Structures are given as structure tokens and as C-alpha cells.
Amino acid sequence: MEKLSPLEEFNRPKKNAQPCVMVIFGATGDLNARKLMPALYNLEQDGELPVHFACVGFARRPKTNEQFRTEMFEKVKEFSRTKPINEQVWDQFSNQLFYHQSEFHEDEGYERLKKLLHDLDAKFDTQGNRVYYLSTQPSYFSIIIQKLSEHGLISPYHENADQHFTRVIIEKPFGHDLASAEALQEDVTKYLDENQIYRIDHYLGKETVQNLMTLRFSNPIFESLWNNHHIDQVQISVSEEQGIGTRGAFWEEAGMLRDIVQNHMMQLLSIVAMEPPNSLDANAIRNEKVKVMQSVRPLPKTHLDKSVVRGQYDTGFIEGFEVPAYRSEPNVSPTSNVETYVAMELHIDNWRWAGVPFYLRAGKRLPKRITEIAIVFKQVPNYLFSNNNEFPNTLVIRIQPNEGISLKMNCKVPGMTHLQPVKMDFRYGSYFGGTPPEAYERLICDCLSGDNTLFARYDELLASWKLLTPVLKHWEENPPEAFPNYHSGTWGPKAADAILHREGRKWRLL
Ligand code: BG6
């Protein structure tokens, strides 16, 4: 086989998944049904699961293996990336799927788990290797790891890949503020080496997010303009039509800043703004990302409300249907002050980005689902064309949907004297065809192969919590005056526009 370049090697899904038993804690939850089981089924279909593999769903509700398999089959039919389901593939996978009922703190449950894992090793030749996926409420993360350790279910970390391994995937959020993230880190590192911890942020598994590095570091025409000499501003938007649905209890404790901004958006920001790493090694990339996060200017304490705006959705219309206000959603307090929208202006105090504002916005119940990064370039001097200033060159990286990249530039309208912006548009779907693997497929596969490049390192999370915890504190001390403050189906509170207006800019129309 031809030798791959480091970039090709980095972009290649890792296909040397090692034999193991994967135990999913919180297996009756939403994430397992919508994302993890469909991802495992698709990996099985693509031949990317190891031959010697078994999966155990660990949860509190009583259930037989057969019940669990039947329920999971229904979910996979509903949520799988590829359809229709190939029943032969499912049968093959479900023979390796088991259910284990226990409380998360119950010693006896871990003793039974130990016996089950031992039996599965014998049956499937999984060689004592373990991947534990913590997809429970975050308050259980520490106790699960502690119990696993106390019952001898965690092997020490070895550099040597031949020794049997334990890897732990931890779902977000990792902590709910700086202090709790530090406490959680202290708890988990009592039992695990950093190399065994896979903190998942599924945005990092998205093809379009991985392509950001390829776009930046393999195209000199962009990279040479990627700085404050040429870029006027960067806008990162995560807009969702959906509300919080059945996740009221979770959302009441989380809110938009913790759910999306602290992790997904900060990851996008760091990849857009990072310096080129000196290799595509996991740590080289993460070193550069963390430098960006550490260079973000702390938000101004005295006039924080000018830089960070929060919102909460009211009733309104989405696709012609009336939808309830956040405060009327199930399991939400009728007087809740939890935010479903955040907009903010950030500055990165380094050589490359001094003076370039980064505007971030994320909201539920906005008019459409779209995640994009827009790089807005500076204008030429405005004396040759009358309307030149209206249409800055803009490079848009569409993370989803209609994954692709577009470049807006100015053109002379034929037969006229004025300019009009036109777009060069690349779409993954029409160019490459097919549907790219789901983020969870890529990330599970990478973990089974022992590659943690696309997982968040602790210092990245720490920097992000350091930046955002003062906002949470400020909000706690100063309840919002006028929640709800935007109607469902609109682009969020007016105050979010003001962040840009005062600097003569505006949000892009999505
Ligand atoms: C999750 C959040 O991490 O990401 C959800 O908890 C959000 O609230 C989801 O809807 C968005 O993911 P995606 O892949 O649909 O952009």
C-alpha cells in the first residue's frame, strides 16, 4: 500500500479496532438509543467492529437480554444513518449484545458485571480489554469509575498495545463549572491515567469539522489570508429549530452555555484560530488548540452583559406549527431562568488575531437548523465602486446540513455598472456522494483503536471553563429581567444584534 501523508493518515478513520467488551452505562437513555446503538450497527455493517467484540448495556431498569435487543432494534430502525436495516447484520450484532441491570453504586451489581465480562471474554475472545462508555447523568461519572476500580475492573495503563487495556469514554458535560470540572478530574485520575480517558465532544467527529484543518493547512490561498491583516470578523453559529423536547430535567441543570458553547463552540473556535501544529499527532494538535483557548481575553467583568447576551424562547411558530414556550416544556419550572440562547463577542489576544472579533451564537427554536463558521474578510478601499462595501468576501464552512464550503465574491452585473455578490459553492453530497459516517461512528471506532486525537484533553476543558464560569456566576447573581425574550421561530433576542451593531456589523442571515 502506498504510504499515506500525515494529513491523509490523520483523516483516515482508524480501522484497527482492537478486541474488547464495551459496556455502556445509561443504556436505556436517549443517547444510546439515538446515537450509540445506530453507530455500532453501522460500524458492524461497514466491517469496522473488531471480530472479537461484545457490548453490554448497563442500566437500572430490569430487562432481559431479549427485551433489550428488541428495543434497540426498533431504535436502530428509526435512527440509523443507513436504511433499510440489513437484518443479517443486525442479527450478527445482536448476538453480541447483552443487558446488565444494576444501580450505579451497587457493589453486588459490579460483582455480577465482573462475572459477566469474564464469561464474555471466554465466549468472544475479547482478551480482558474494556471500553466503558459513561452515558449517564454526569453526577454518576465519579462513582461508576470508583466502583469499577474497587471491583478490579480497571487495568492499569500500558504504553504497550499488547497488554490488555481499559479505556473510558466520558460524555459531556465534564463538570458544570470550573470547580466541579476540577473535582471530577481529581476523582477520575485517582483511578485512570489521562491516556485512558476519552472525553467525547461529538463535534470533533464530524467530517466537516475535521476538514477544517485540511482546508486551512493544505490550501495556501486561505492560510495566507488567515489573520488580522485580512479578516474583519469571524461568526460561528449553531442554530437549531428544535426545542429541548423531553430533556427538560437535564436542560434545567445545563442551559445553552454549558450544553453547546462550553464544548462544541469552543472546539470550533480553537480549530479555526489555532496555529499549524508541527505534526498531526494527537498532542501536537491539542497543544495548539489549548493555546488558543488560553489566549481568549477574559470577558469584561464590569460590562459583561454587553459582550454576552442570554435568551429564552417563548411560544411561536416553527414550520407553521405553534410550539410552546420553554417554561411550558415538560419538567421545566414555569419560572425558569435557564437560557436557551447565547450570543457573545470574544477576542483572542495573540499575534494572528489581535483586533478580530469572534462572534458566537447558539440557540434553540430558531428559524432553521444550521451550524456554520463564517470568515468575513476586510474590504478594499471604497472609491472605485459605489456599493462595494455592502458585500464583504465571505468564506462559509457549513458544518451541517448541506455540508460544504462557499466563497462569496463580487462580480459586475452584465450590462450594468454595479456589483453583485456571487457564490462559489462546494457541497460534499453532490461532489463525493453518499452519507459520511456519523460523528459517533468515527469516535467510537477511534477509541476502540486507541486513538484519542479527536477527544478533548483536560487542559482544553479547563481553559474553556475558566473563561465561561464567570459568566455563569454573573447570571446566577443577576437573574434575567425579561425572560422569555424571543419568540420561537425568530433569530433570538434583540440585545444579541446590539453586540454587533455597536461596531457597525451585523449577524449573517442564515
Ligand atoms: C448535543 C446537545 O451535544 O448536541 C444538544 O446536547 C444538541 O442539545 C446537539 O441538540 C446538537 O448536535 P448536532 O450534531 O445535531 O449538531
Side-chain angles (χ1 to χ4, degrees):
M1 194 175 113
E2 233 175 274
K3 191 171 175 341
L4 298 179
S5 71
L7 190 61
E8 285 164 335
E9 180 60 39
F10 169 76
N11 282 329
R12 184 179 66 98
K14 305 300 176 285
K15 291 197 175 166
N16 45 350
Q18 294 161 279
C20 67
V21 184
M22 180 168 179
V23 182
I24 301 175
F25 289 84
T28 48
D30 206 47
L31 183 78
N32 187 42
R34 287 169 174 270
K35 298 288 183 188
L36 307 186
M37 282 294 142
L40 287 169
Y41 160 78
N42 279 292
L43 288 172
E44 173 78 23
Q45 175 158 257
D46 294 347
E48 289 183 18
L49 282 185
V51 178
H52 302 293
F53 180 77
C55 179
V56 176
F58 184 125
R60 290 172 294 181
R61 288 176 225 168
K63 235 181 254 297
T64 63
N65 286 335
E66 269 326 305
Q67 278 170 327
F68 184 57
R69 289 171 186 159
T70 310
E71 283 172 20
M72 291 303 109
F73 185 45
E74 292 309 309
K75 297 297 179 187
V76 168
K77 279 199 277 190
E78 192 177 347
F79 296 112
S80 169
R81 166 176 65 87
T82 56
K83 287 181 183 159
I85 300 303
N86 179 332
E87 296 210 9
Q88 241 180 324
V89 173
W90 173 259
D91 288 345
Q92 164 71 27
F93 175 70
S94 73
N95 284 335
Q96 298 162 284
L97 183 62
F98 300 85
Y99 186 75
H100 181 75
Q101 186 274 329
S102 169
E103 294 293 326
F104 298 129
H105 59 270
E106 192 180 53
D107 287 303
E108 183 269 335
Y110 287 84
E111 277 307 304
R112 283 188 288 113
L113 178 67
K114 190 173 183 174
K115 160 97 178 54
L116 172 62
L117 296 180
H118 190 73
D119 293 348
L120 294 179
D121 277 341
K123 186 164 177 195
F124 295 101
D125 193 16
T126 37
Q127 303 168 21
N129 293 333
R130 308 285 177 249
V131 169
Y132 299 115
Y133 196 123
L134 308 193
S135 154
T136 62
Q137 277 174 29
S139 50
Y140 292 116
F141 293 166
S142 295
I143 187 76
I144 292 173
I145 295 173
Q146 181 190 328
K147 291 289 167 197
L148 286 170
S149 170
E150 285 172 3
H151 290 270
L153 290 163
I154 294 182
S155 313
Y157 175 69
H158 295 283
E159 293 275 343
N160 182 348
D162 295 337
Q163 300 276 356
H164 51 228
F165 62 78
T166 298
R167 300 177 188 139
V168 182
I169 305 180
I170 304 184
E171 258 301 328
K172 69 174 226 330
F174 194 90
H176 58 267
D177 58 13
L178 179 60
S180 57
E182 284 173 332
L184 178 57
Q185 173 72 0
E186 205 183 309
D187 284 352
V188 301
T189 49
K190 273 186 215 148
Y191 309 105
L192 296 167
D193 183 271
E194 177 68 30
N195 287 301
Q196 295 175 292
I197 307 172
Y198 290 68
R199 297 178 197 81
I200 200 161
D201 182 318
H202 78 280
Y203 263 54
L204 292 175
K206 289 181 190 279
E207 278 291 325
T208 37
V209 175
Q210 289 159 46
N211 188 46
L212 253 171
M213 294 227 292
T214 312
L215 174 80
R216 285 196 52 197
F217 303 132
S218 69
N219 293 296
I221 55 166
F222 296 126
E223 191 51 22
S224 57
L225 301 177
W226 214 264
N227 56 50
N228 56 3
H229 298 294
H230 303 286
I231 294 177
D232 172 67
Q233 50 167 307
V234 177
Q235 294 192 11
I236 305 180
S237 308
V238 177
S239 158
E240 294 180 280
E241 265 174 323
Q242 63 181 22
I244 51 112
T246 53
R247 299 166 78 212
F250 162 79
W251 199 265
E252 282 284 275
E253 287 184 10
M256 193 48 116
L257 196 84
R258 292 186 174 100
D259 189 47
I260 302 252
V261 181
Q262 186 272 335
N263 33 68
H264 305 330
M265 294 194 93
M266 294 309 285
Q267 286 291 343
L268 294 181
L269 172 88
S270 61
I271 300 174
V272 170
M274 70 195 260
E275 294 302 313
N278 60 5
S279 79
L280 290 165
D281 165 74
N283 276 329
I285 294 172
R286 301 198 284 189
N287 288 346
E288 294 307 330
K289 278 165 56 196
V290 79
K291 276 191 224 161
V292 173
M293 300 221 197
Q294 289 165 346
S295 314
V296 177
R297 186 184 305 162
L299 287 153
K301 280 210 177 73
T302 45
H303 45 278
L304 197 106
D305 291 327
K306 282 201 165 154
S307 306
V308 188
V309 165
R310 60 188 147 161
Q312 187 192 76
Y313 62 80
D314 201 346
T315 54
F317 289 86
I318 296 280
E319 289 180 346
F321 292 98
E322 189 161 14
V323 293
Y326 173 74
R327 288 178 175 181
S328 311
E329 300 277 21
N331 300 320
V332 169
S333 151
T335 55
S336 173
N337 283 333
V338 170
E339 80 288 353
T340 59
Y341 177 99
V342 175
M344 61 172 68
E345 173 177 353
L346 296 177
H347 284 266
I348 299 175
D349 284 335
N350 66 15
W351 208 256
R352 187 189 282 264
W353 294 113
V356 180
F358 283 72
Y359 299 112
L360 274 51
R361 62 177 155 167
K364 298 266 182 201
R365 287 280 190 234
L366 302 188
K368 52 172 135 157
R369 174 173 182 258
I370 181 162
T371 299
E372 64 153 54
I373 301 168
I375 313 291
V376 183
F377 289 90
K378 289 188 171 161
Q379 303 283 24
V380 291
N382 188 31
Y383 63 92
L384 293 178
F385 305 100
S386 58
N387 60 343
N388 187 73
N389 259 356
E390 289 170 41
F391 315 117
N393 289 159
T394 308
L395 178 73
V396 177
I397 298 137
R398 283 189 308 273
I399 307 290
Q400 62 193 25
N402 303 324
E403 289 79 355
I405 298 168
S406 70
L407 180 62
K408 196 165 79 179
M409 59 196 151
N410 291 314
C411 241
K412 178 180 168 304
V413 180
M416 307 285 209
T417 52
H418 63 274
L419 302 178
Q420 191 173 303
V422 294
K423 234 178 10 178
M424 287 203 314
D425 205 358
F426 151 69
R427 288 172 185 244
Y428 278 82
S430 39
Y431 197 87
F432 293 114
T435 48
E438 278 271 337
Y440 279 95
E441 293 172 40
R442 167 75 197 249
L443 296 173
I444 289 174
C445 196
D446 280 5
C447 176
L448 297 186
S449 313
D451 181 342
N452 57 9
T453 312
L454 298 178
F455 292 81
R457 207 169 60 184
Y458 176 58
D459 50 358
E460 296 179 66
L461 293 177
L462 198 67
S464 169
W465 278 127
K466 271 192 184 147
L467 176 75
L468 297 174
T469 299
V471 179
L472 292 168
K473 193 159 177 284
H474 175 78
W475 285 352
E476 232 173 77
E477 288 164 2
N478 301 279
E481 279 161 20
F483 266 15
N485 60 355
Y486 70 98
H487 281 286
S488 293
T490 66
W491 285 110
K494 289 273 167 294
D497 297 338
I499 301 180
L500 282 78
H501 285 176
R502 349 177 247 277
E503 291 159 9
R505 300 187 177 96
K506 53 185 182 200
W507 290 111
R508 273 171 48 74
L509 200 62
L510 299 180

